Amino acid sequence: MSSTQDLDYPQILFQYNNGFLVSKIMFTACELGVFDLLLESEGPLSSDAIAERLGTSASGMERLLDACVGLKLLGVEMKSEGAFYRNTELSNLYLTKSSPKSQYHNLMYYSKTIYLCWHYLTDAVRDGKNQYERAFGVSSKDLFGALYRSEEEMIKFMYGLNAIWSICGRDVIAAFDLSAFTVIYDLGGDFFKDPIPEADLYILARILHDWADDKCMQLLAKIHKACKPGGGVLLVETLLNEDKTGPIETQLYSMNMLVQAEGKERTPTEYSKLLTAADFREIQVKKTGKLYDAILGRK
Ligand code: ASE
């Protein structure tokens, strides 16, 4: 019997139980600048040196660094003077601020905003709505007002959400041959209020997942009206399996849409129905094998 199925020692349950402790260790090391310091330093550094440079307690830093080693976010070597820490390839690539593939802003958005909303997950399931009122004291009635509740929060949100495209952007854009589309409009801002300009292709990247079906159909109908004949719409979303048994990341994101937005993650069939309802045709779905997939519909 595999260890994850051993009912006398429920390893998988311990793992799930500790999931948010792991997240918080990674967020904290990032926030304190551990990975940035180790990128810039000439060689491996001692815990005391890192603590001093980052202005933290020596005791707290030593435990944080050792936990990062346990998580394989740092490497360690034992010298006669003690332990010396260095970044792994993974942390150099993704956890330093200056890397082109940096996920720093995404992690900070998780740590500072998403984490607080998830504190009220039970309430979100009970109410069936997002938790901005409980978490931040702002009205949940206006999703734009809640997501962009201050200039600072809006910037955190934009930077946070942007980080993933350095990893998934290329695959999403390469999923279809878009060379026939001349004028391409990447939808953002308050597209329910603002007029939508005429274009050949509208990109809706992580837009529909924020909204309930009625709002999605309203928006798609508005886009269909503005769209040039022969034009189309490209949806960029993470897709659930048709039977909704996975993937687990998409299921987690769908729970996040419950606590943070008004929508949910959907299956290819669900997106196709929304597009069809707005009169888009020739709907094609392309899975990329990464987090975000692409769906193309034509006018
Ligand atoms: C949105 C996307 C996100 C609205 C709120 C959001 C993301 C986080 N919060 O359109 C990015 C996707 N990540 C998750 C965890 O859902």
Side-chain angles (χ1 to χ4, degrees):
M1 192 188 281
S2 87
S3 62
T4 52
Q5 290 174 330
D6 186 346
L7 292 179
D8 291 325
Y9 191 76
Q11 184 125 33
I12 195 168
L13 190 141
F14 295 141
Q15 252 173 42
Y16 293 168
N17 200 28
N18 290 327
F20 83 92
L21 308 188
V22 172
S23 302
K24 271 296 185 182
I25 288 166
M26 180 169 73
F27 299 159
T28 296
C30 239
E31 184 178 351
L32 288 170
V34 169
F35 306 109
D36 299 317
L37 177 61
L38 289 171
L39 176 71
E40 285 152 23
S41 74
E42 299 286 294
L45 295 177
S46 71
S47 161
D48 283 349
I50 296 170
E52 194 179 313
R53 285 286 299 277
L54 300 179
T56 75
S57 71
S59 60
M61 183 54 77
E62 185 177 26
R63 258 178 278 178
L64 177 67
L65 296 172
D66 286 336
C68 286
V69 172
L71 294 173
K72 300 187 167 64
L73 300 178
L74 292 178
V76 68
E77 60 191 271
M78 288 302 177
K79 297 188 182 177
S80 52
E81 312 97 286
F84 283 74
Y85 301 87
R86 56 176 160 70
N87 281 349
T88 59
E89 260 180 280
L90 180 86
S91 48
N92 266 336
L93 254 182
Y94 297 110
L95 299 179
T96 54
K97 282 197 199 84
S98 59
S99 169
K101 289 177 185 284
S102 176
Q103 296 302 300
Y104 172 83
H105 292 292
N106 182 30
L107 269 54
M108 289 304 98
Y109 190 67
Y110 266 68
S111 188
K112 302 293 171 188
T113 298
I114 296 181
Y115 187 80
L116 303 186
C117 289
W118 278 67
H119 184 68
Y120 300 101
L121 181 60
T122 309
D123 302 276
V125 172
R126 283 209 179 98
D127 307 346
K129 58 176 202 165
N130 69 55
Q131 296 297 308
Y132 285 103
E133 240 154 58
R134 281 197 182 87
F136 304 107
V138 298
S139 168
S140 59
K141 288 207 183 71
D142 172 15
L143 182 59
F144 291 114
L147 280 171
Y148 311 150
R149 60 196 170 281
S150 67
E151 168 104 13
E152 190 196 357
E153 184 62 29
M154 184 181 74
I155 289 168
K156 263 199 308 193
F157 179 66
M158 299 292 176
Y159 271 105
L161 264 66
N162 201 40
I164 193 67
W165 301 125
S166 64
I167 302 176
C168 295
R170 187 173 291 276
D171 299 74
V172 154
I173 288 305
F176 295 105
D177 178 7
L178 305 175
S179 59
F181 301 109
T182 318
V183 180
I184 300 181
Y185 186 76
D186 181 16
L187 218 77
D190 192 347
F191 29 73
F192 289 112
K193 270 204 214 126
D194 298 341
I196 290 175
E198 191 182 68
D200 299 296
L201 182 72
Y202 297 87
I203 301 179
L204 276 69
R206 287 189 301 199
I207 300 285
L208 295 187
H209 78 154
D210 283 336
W211 305 100
D213 289 356
D214 58 334
K215 288 275 193 74
C216 290
M217 288 190 284
Q218 188 189 321
L219 178 61
L220 287 172
K222 190 171 172 182
I223 292 169
H224 191 272
K225 239 185 193 169
C227 186
K228 290 191 193 172
V233 59
L234 180 73
L235 309 182
V236 178
E237 298 281 2
T238 182
L239 292 174
L240 281 171
N241 300 341
E242 288 296 350
D243 63 5
K244 304 199 184 184
T245 55
I248 182 61
E249 280 81 12
T250 309
Q251 293 168 324
L252 297 178
Y253 284 28
S254 202
M255 294 301 292
N256 192 51
M257 289 303 106
L258 179 65
V259 297
Q260 265 214 302
E262 295 179 11
K264 59 182 181 181
E265 305 303 346
R266 294 179 173 88
T267 64
T269 297
E270 288 174 325
Y271 281 116
S272 299
K273 280 185 180 158
L274 291 174
L275 287 167
T276 304
D279 234 13
F280 286 101
R281 301 140 204 265
E282 295 170 51
I283 295 154
Q284 294 170 269
V285 179
K286 280 268 169 71
K287 296 241 201 180
T288 66
K290 294 187 181 167
L291 187 49
Y292 288 102
D293 305 299
I295 302 175
L296 185 66
R298 305 295 293 261
K299 178 165 177 176

